Amino acid sequence: ILRCAETVQVWSESARSSITVQVLCRGICLIFLSDSSYLLESCHPDQGRGYEALAARPRRSWRGATTVRSAHQLPLSTSSNGYSHKTAYLSPEGEREERNLISPRLVTLSLFSSNHLWQIIFAKGGFGMDHTELKPGDVIKRHRLSTRLWHWTNALTLLVMLMSGLMIFNAHARLYWGDYGANDDKAWLIIDDAGDTGFVEIAGVRVETTGVLGIWKNSEGEIKRRAFPHWVTIPSAYDLQAARRWHFTFAWILAVALTLYMARSLWNGHVRKDLHIRKREWSPRHILHDIKEHARLRFPTGAAAKDYNILQKLSYIGVIFVLLPLIIFTGLTMSPAMNAAWPWLLDIFGGRQSARSLHFIAAFGLVGFFFVHITMVVLAGPINELRSMITGKYRLPGKVEPSFEPQAPQAPQGEPA
């Protein structure tokens, strides 16, 4: 039975994450086991054999006690519904007795409906392997193909959209709240220049940024008076029309890729297995502990490094389900055509200028996430982290314990080994 289960597990190695394949494999195992139970039932000692030959044969009961069948205890009739036997016997006194026996098939189905048994047989690490057996140095499959494809598509898309968006922002480097905004209106963010000084002003607080923001020199040494410099914009030279084309083209890629990834993550269980925050993880003590460990640069090792910690889960959930959808819908709100088609977007975000401000804040929220993400990758081991996002294979970090194989004792000199 176990060999059959192991064979089925080998068949499903190439599609281990598929729920459909796992269900089919379990069904095949149940067929094997049911057939085995049927053979046991058909070879019952009281069926298909001469009673006289079995009269004095010792039998072992279900309690383990050995009994001897009497020649007078002969079965008169046997009935079975596949899950229990009802057999009528003739006692030595000539009275009819009925006994109910549980079918091995029912025992088989009960055992293989146990979650614990399935976790042992079809563990992700392989047949008969539990995740608790993972140790530092083991190579596991960490990232699904859909996650890796979306990660790199998203990285390129957001880079192009950020740089083209900064060029669009250069056309009017002020942000407002409400429905309207122009030069004479009160802005909560301004990036501009005052003579030979560049500055950034946020809520009335001004910071000088000469040479970086507001006023700077291009590659030819010419002084330019725009918010963001040429080396962070697409295109480098001021061209609002080209920047809008770049931005809107990659906006479609962002929206479609995010939708497909979210649907795929819900379908294959990525959200439920990897991103779902368990009850114990919401404990303030647990969150504070993870913050302290990260501040001390103490990262999980061994089997603990296989799963996302609470800070990673909160970050990824915030990016996938908050920041990216916010960027998409605020971008739609700034479109006059979408204002006509979906006027309720203006009500949700409080006007086109408020949507523009939220769009800008969400974009720089992603920039902040990017720098923290890259820092953590470098500190945790860039080669291992990059390999896991390219090939999906991840080597569990930590100190690898050397394995010592016992050696045969050496024979004393002068004596044969």
Side-chain angles (χ1 to χ4, degrees):
I1 291 172
L2 291 179
R3 183 166 297 179
C4 292
E6 186 175 6
T7 303
V8 174
Q9 171 65 7
V10 172
W11 293 343
S12 65
E13 279 292 328
S14 59
R16 186 180 298 160
S17 60
S18 172
I19 299 177
T20 305
V21 173
Q22 290 298 325
V23 171
L24 290 175
C25 291
R26 295 187 184 190
I28 294 174
C29 284
L30 287 178
I31 292 174
F32 287 155
L33 295 168
S34 297
D35 288 345
S36 301
S37 300
Y38 176 76
L39 292 176
L40 292 175
E41 294 166 6
S42 62
C43 295
H44 193 278
D46 293 334
Q47 299 179 16
R49 300 188 182 184
Y51 298 142
E52 294 80 9
L54 296 172
R57 176 179 176 179
R59 292 191 62 193
R60 184 169 296 276
S61 68
W62 64 275
R63 285 193 177 93
T66 302
T67 59
V68 179
R69 184 189 305 275
S70 170
H72 298 285
Q73 293 178 324
L74 301 179
L76 299 177
S77 63
T78 301
S79 62
S80 174
N81 60 4
Y83 299 103
S84 65
H85 293 289
K86 181 178 289 185
T87 304
Y89 289 92
L90 181 64
S91 68
E93 291 79 14
E95 299 178 356
R96 180 186 177 90
E97 296 181 358
E98 291 187 355
R99 298 181 183 180
N100 290 320
L101 302 176
I102 298 177
S103 167
R105 182 180 297 175
L106 180 60
V107 177
T108 298
L109 293 176
S110 300
L111 286 175
F112 272 76
S113 64
S114 168
N115 247 350
H116 180 67
L117 188 59
W118 285 114
Q119 291 173 359
I120 294 176
I121 294 181
F122 288 104
K124 190 173 182 180
F127 182 83
M129 181 179 180
D130 195 358
H131 289 312
T132 56
E133 299 176 1
L134 295 175
K135 58 185 181 299
D138 289 347
V139 178
I140 63 172
K141 191 69 172 296
R142 189 179 194 185
H143 297 299
R144 295 176 173 86
L145 179 61
S146 58
T147 301
R148 287 177 277 144
L149 290 176
W150 181 76
H151 176 274
W152 296 112
T153 302
N154 212 34
L156 176 62
T157 302
L158 289 177
L159 177 63
V160 174
M161 291 195 66
L162 175 67
M163 298 180 71
S164 59
L166 294 181
M167 174 56 73
I168 296 173
F169 182 84
N170 278 349
H172 188 75
R174 294 167 178 256
L175 293 176
Y176 312 88
W177 295 112
D179 294 318
Y180 309 100
N183 291 340
D184 295 334
D185 296 322
K186 184 178 180 180
W188 68 271
L189 184 143
I190 303 174
I191 303 179
D192 205 345
D193 68 284
D196 295 333
T197 304
F199 67 89
V200 173
E201 184 177 315
I202 302 177
V205 179
R206 180 173 293 192
V207 179
E208 182 179 344
T209 57
T210 304
V212 180
L213 301 175
I215 183 171
W216 40 270
K217 294 182 179 181
N218 61 12
S219 57
E220 298 176 356
E222 300 174 346
I223 296 178
K224 298 294 181 180
R225 300 178 183 272
R226 296 191 186 95
F228 290 96
H230 66 98
W231 49 271
V232 294
T233 62
I234 292 180
S236 298
Y238 182 79
D239 190 339
L240 179 59
Q241 182 181 12
R244 288 167 63 88
R245 290 176 177 175
W246 277 97
H247 201 75
F248 297 151
T249 299
F250 278 83
W252 278 106
I253 300 176
L254 175 69
V256 173
L258 178 63
T259 303
L260 293 177
Y261 177 73
M262 292 175 70
R264 179 61 178 170
S265 297
L266 292 172
W267 174 260
N268 64 16
H270 175 57
V271 173
R272 175 176 52 84
K273 297 176 183 178
D274 302 326
L275 299 180
H276 174 63
I277 302 177
R278 271 66 179 178
K279 184 178 179 180
R280 62 178 181 82
E281 294 178 312
W282 283 113
S283 169
R285 179 180 298 179
H286 182 88
I287 297 176
L288 184 60
H289 173 74
D290 271 17
I291 294 176
K292 290 181 179 178
E293 291 297 302
H294 278 74
R296 296 170 182 171
L297 302 181
R298 297 177 180 174
F299 302 111
T301 59
K306 175 181 62 66
D307 301 320
Y308 295 141
N309 57 61
I310 180 65
L311 299 182
Q312 289 176 304
K313 291 181 179 181
L314 290 174
S315 300
Y316 297 148
I317 290 174
V319 169
I320 298 172
F321 297 100
V322 179
L323 288 182
L324 291 179
L326 180 62
I327 280 183
I328 293 173
F329 283 102
T330 52
L332 293 175
T333 306
M334 290 186 284
S335 168
M338 294 306 301
N339 294 161
W342 294 351
W344 46 269
L345 287 174
L346 293 171
D347 299 329
I348 292 178
F349 296 109
R352 291 180 65 185
Q353 293 302 322
S354 294
R356 185 168 179 258
S357 295
L358 292 174
H359 194 78
F360 186 87
I361 293 173
F364 275 85
L366 289 175
V367 172
F369 168 79
F370 169 78
F371 282 110
V372 174
H373 180 65
I374 294 301
T375 302
M376 292 294 102
V377 168
V378 172
L379 294 176
I383 296 178
N384 193 29
E385 296 291 338
L386 283 175
R387 180 180 62 178
S388 68
M389 193 51 69
I390 295 175
T391 66
K393 296 180 180 180
Y394 179 74
R395 185 179 298 277
L396 295 178
K399 185 178 180 181
V400 180
E401 296 293 337
S403 58
F404 298 98
E405 296 183 358
Q407 298 180 355
Q410 297 181 356
Q413 296 183 356
E415 297 183 8

